[in-house]
Amino acid sequence: MEKILVGLKRVVDYNVRVRVKSDGSDVETDGVKMSINPFDEIALEEALRIKERGEASEVIVISVGTVDAQQQLRTGLAMGADRAILVESNSPVDPLGLARTFKSIIDRDDIDLVILGKQAIDDDNSQTAQMLSAIWGRPQATFASKFDVAGNKATVTREVDAGLEVIEIDLPAVVSTDLRMNEPRYVKLPDIMKARKKPLELIAISDLGIDQGPEIKSLMFEPPLERERGVMVDDVAGLVAALKEKGLA
Amino acid sequence: MSKVLVIAEHDGAILNPSTAKTVACAASIDGASVDVAVFAATAGPIASEAAKLASIARVVTYERSENEYALAAIIAPQIVAVAGEYTHIFGPSTTFGKDLMPRVAALLGVNQISDIMSVESSHTFKRPVYAGSAIATVEAPMDAILVATVRIASYSAVTDNNSALIESGDPSVADIPTHTRFIEVKSGATDRPDLQTAVKVVSGGRALASAENFDIIYRLADKLGAGVGASRAAVDAGYVPNEMQVGQTGKIIAPDLYMAIGISGAIQHLTGIKDAGTIVAINKDEEAPIFEVADIGLVADLFTAIPELTEALD
Ligand SMILES: Cc1cc2nc3c(=O)[nH]c(=O)nc-3n(C[C@H](O)[C@H](O)[C@H](O)COP(=O)(O)OP(=O)(O)OC[C@H]3O[C@@H](n4cnc5c(N)ncnc54)[C@H](O)[C@@H]3O)c2cc1C
């Protein structure tokens, strides 16, 4: 296997308490800490480990978004990716548009394996990997916690509702990562310096001629219904009484 | 008029309860006619179960040997082949549906709506984003087929007093891919109630500190007839298997009673239990965020409180 493509999405950091804007047009993202989607960091870590085992020769990180996403791509380069691609779009791109964008890079750069996060923690869609493998006509190994390459095949363990599912796939393929696949490495200062010299290519999404498909419009955002704080009991006897009162014990 | 196809989830023998909840969502579209499709190697018993679901018009079975395991790459092209009859195609937002439905959508050239929590109109829905920190109202175009997954914790199963027609459909799709092969499922299956359908659930967190200590959670659960769940921290640490994780990236559940024991209440965990009837929290830190959403809270050391509680429930 030669080349691995990894998607890195710039998202609101998972520690931020996200709030809806008062006019309901969106959530508040001004001045909020932004990071690489945690699942994508795991995807990159996995790609780097495959390369370090000598099973691939190049790891390419890609992001579709505004110029600000260069920051996340630079972090990806500092983690160890060889080069980066930013497909610039000032409006949000739905998963089908993303999948078609990735597909055009797969064709251009001859990619052998794509690793994406199983979901982005902003829109929580969990779609892009599946869509990409569909239009590429290749296997999908979603929600993966273990990935072993053997020649032109791979064995993948997937976290499913019933437990752990093991499948075998032919390569090329698309993998989407679950949280327990690995623990991403920390970036060291010298790597950040080195990353500045690595190539970061800019492409305008319009230059790729992507049909983004029928748009799903977000009409409005609202805060969720909050649960109210209930009662505190003093001891186990109080808890048992409270449960009995509700008919739950 | 909406014509909805619901893709049945099953394990080759038994219809998964997620199907009855997905049907409930589909049937809440005004004037919708709902069909259930069973893709299986042998569909018979699954189809008979599905035919009992209230509000459906018919069950269509698509039998072929390749359908023995629910592999998205194999099922998706077959769904696409029959999609033409329908305005909507729905699947459950379980790992089965999340894996399958986006592949169907992409083959049909449309975007997908994930995790429908309420139907506003035939093409407008509400869904959670940012781990449930916001609810988005989204609208799909009227002139394209609509593919979606349903957040099953938002729906109660339809009743099972129907006797819908069962028809066998034509599963002929020229080239079913062979590039994806099922090997096995390893599950720590127990005879405790299934997490996703249990009426009561007891969950343990990092505070349990070992797999052995989780025994006190199991003992309490057995006393209550409850299913057992866990936080991500407890799964990551290897105290319990992955299928027990509750939350944004685990299972989204809606039991009548949820007991969070030694769980801090991170947003990613809370999003999995928002629809629970009564939430009980036991935590030794009175400042733990879990108490902000708990209906009944007890500040205590779980290692003394839980055995005491289990005893007291005799
Ligand atoms: C992308 C992403 C996705 C995630 N998805 C999920 C998910 O699906 N589900 C999930 O659960 N988490 C998820 N998390 C992790 C989440 O952010 C928290 O880290 C996790 O839920 C914490 O688990 P915990 O409450 O068991 O552990 P902690 O936060 O460490 O809490 C332990 C609690 O136990 C209490 N305690 C300690 N000792 C005792 C004792 N003796 N008696 C009583 N109480 C005690 C402490 O006071 C504390 O409140 C996700 C995180 C990320 C970044």
Side-chain angles (χ1 to χ4, degrees):
Chain A
M1 175 161 56
E2 290 279 304
K3 297 178 190 173
I4 307 179
L5 184 69
V6 174
L8 295 186
K9 187 176 187 185
R10 174 183 165 90
V11 298
V12 173
D13 187 84
Y14 77 95
N15 279 312
V16 172
R17 268 204 173 215
V18 172
R19 300 201 187 282
V20 174
K21 285 185 178 168
S22 53
D23 65 0
S25 62
D26 202 345
V27 300
E28 196 57 73
T29 50
D30 281 353
V32 157
K33 183 177 178 211
M34 304 295 284
S35 301
I36 298 178
N37 180 41
F39 293 95
D40 302 350
E41 250 182 314
I42 294 169
L44 176 54
E45 177 65 35
E46 195 65 20
L48 294 172
R49 290 184 189 184
I50 293 169
K51 185 184 161 189
E52 285 158 5
R53 287 199 301 264
E55 293 165 357
S57 49
E58 189 182 23
V59 174
I60 305 156
V61 285
I62 183 167
S63 194
V64 180
T66 63
V67 285
D68 295 334
Q70 288 182 73
Q71 208 184 324
Q72 281 64 42
L73 289 171
R74 286 284 170 212
T75 307
L77 292 170
M79 275 177 73
D82 299 291
R83 63 183 168 97
I85 304 170
L86 174 65
V87 178
E88 209 187 321
S89 169
N90 287 323
S91 45
V93 179
D94 280 337
L96 184 63
L98 278 176
R100 287 175 172 165
T101 302
F102 292 164
K103 176 65 169 51
S104 73
I105 300 298
I106 289 172
D107 293 342
R108 189 196 73 169
D109 287 5
D110 253 331
I111 302 295
D112 302 293
L113 176 68
V114 180
I115 312 183
L116 304 176
K118 81 160 179 180
Q119 74 194 71
I121 60 164
D122 50 5
D123 56 38
D124 280 333
N125 269 327
S126 192
Q127 299 175 8
T128 307
Q130 297 88 312
M131 289 191 162
L132 175 59
S133 38
I135 59 179
W136 194 10
R138 297 304 310 165
Q140 65 185 47
T142 52
F143 327 141
S145 60
K146 196 165 180 293
F147 182 78
D148 295 309
V149 186
N152 56 1
K153 291 194 185 87
T155 305
V156 191
T157 302
R158 306 178 53 230
E159 293 203 358
V160 296
D161 291 339
L164 295 172
E165 181 188 275
V166 183
I167 58 171
E168 185 188 68
I169 55 173
D170 296 337
L171 299 175
V174 182
V175 177
S176 87
T177 58
D178 219 312
L179 290 169
R180 279 170 284 275
M181 191 168 213
N182 59 50
E183 260 195 60
R185 66 196 64 190
Y186 285 103
V187 173
K188 294 184 233 66
L189 199 59
D191 297 328
I192 297 174
M193 308 304 285
K194 260 192 276 171
R196 294 204 183 131
K197 297 200 195 84
K198 291 184 180 175
L200 194 163
E201 177 188 6
L202 287 171
I203 307 174
I205 194 161
S206 53
D207 289 347
L208 294 174
I210 303 291
D211 167 7
Q212 296 194 25
E215 184 194 357
I216 298 202
K217 288 201 185 90
S218 291
L219 303 181
M220 164 179 99
F221 293 83
E222 60 197 309
L225 286 176
E226 294 295 346
R227 292 184 73 102
E228 274 172 41
R229 187 185 258 276
V231 298
M232 298 299 287
V233 293
D234 294 328
D235 49 23
V236 169
L239 175 55
V240 173
L243 286 172
K244 289 216 162 118
E245 196 183 319
K246 288 181 178 264
L248 292 166
Chain B
M1 249 282 285
S2 304
K3 208 161 175 243
V4 190
L5 182 65
V6 168
I7 310 302
E9 176 172 8
H10 60 83
D11 63 1
I14 295 169
L15 187 70
N16 190 292
S18 64
T19 309
K21 298 184 178 195
T22 308
V23 166
C25 173
S28 71
I29 298 173
D30 243 359
S33 145
V34 182
D35 286 355
V36 173
V38 179
F39 293 86
T42 314
I46 305 160
S48 314
E49 278 308 302
K52 293 184 195 158
L53 298 178
S55 357
I56 67 167
R58 54 178 193 150
V59 175
V60 194
T61 60
Y62 298 94
E63 291 184 305
R64 60 189 295 163
S65 58
E66 293 93 333
N67 292 349
E68 186 172 358
Y69 304 106
L71 296 168
I74 288 169
I75 312 276
Q78 300 175 60
I79 297 175
V80 170
V82 299
E85 269 188 65
Y86 297 93
T87 56
H88 299 60
I89 305 186
F90 281 7
S93 189
T94 54
T95 52
F96 161 76
K98 287 196 231 180
D99 184 47
L100 174 62
M101 301 310 286
R103 192 163 182 119
V104 173
L107 293 176
L108 291 168
V110 295
N111 274 297
Q112 189 216 253
I113 296 178
S114 297
D115 308 317
I116 292 176
M117 57 189 285
S118 82
V119 170
E120 304 297 302
S121 78
S122 68
H123 287 71
T124 316
F125 306 90
K126 289 192 179 183
R127 62 174 301 261
V129 291
Y130 291 92
S133 298
I135 307 299
T137 303
V138 296
E139 182 186 52
M142 295 287 288
D143 56 1
I145 189 163
L146 195 156
V147 180
T149 60
V150 174
R151 183 178 182 274
I152 56 172
S154 299
Y155 290 89
S156 306
V158 292
T159 52
D160 55 358
N161 51 4
N162 198 355
S163 48
L165 214 62
I166 301 177
E167 289 172 24
S168 104
D170 180 5
S172 65
V173 170
D175 31 40
I176 294 286
T178 54
H179 54 46
T180 306
R181 297 168 293 275
F182 175 89
I183 296 181
E184 61 175 330
V185 174
K186 296 180 237 178
S187 90
T190 63
D191 32 17
R192 292 196 180 85
D194 174 63
L195 192 50
Q196 269 160 317
T197 48
V199 177
K200 297 174 184 174
V201 171
V202 179
S203 280
R206 191 196 313 269
L208 270 300
S210 75
E212 294 71 47
N213 288 345
F214 237 84
D215 259 1
I216 62 173
I217 300 289
Y218 292 124
R219 258 184 257 135
L220 173 60
D222 291 346
K223 199 54 126 353
L224 288 162
V228 179
S231 70
R232 174 192 169 188
V235 178
D236 283 3
Y239 307 158
V240 293
N242 66 287
E243 64 264 30
M244 283 170 55
Q245 182 174 317
V246 171
Q248 180 188 23
T249 52
K251 287 176 179 158
I252 311 279
I253 58 173
D256 290 349
L257 171 66
Y258 185 78
M259 298 188 73
I261 298 168
I263 291 178
S264 60
I267 173 106
Q268 293 88 0
H269 188 81
L270 297 184
T271 194
I273 57 169
K274 279 208 167 118
D275 299 293
T278 297
I279 297 178
V280 173
I282 300 175
N283 196 301
K284 71 175 181 190
D285 173 11
E286 60 181 327
E287 306 277 313
I290 188 77
F291 288 125
E292 287 166 33
V293 299
D295 300 283
I296 308 171
L298 172 64
V299 178
D301 187 320
L302 72 91
F303 293 106
T304 52
I306 300 306
E308 202 187 319
L309 174 61
T310 310
E311 190 85 355
L313 289 173
D314 263 328

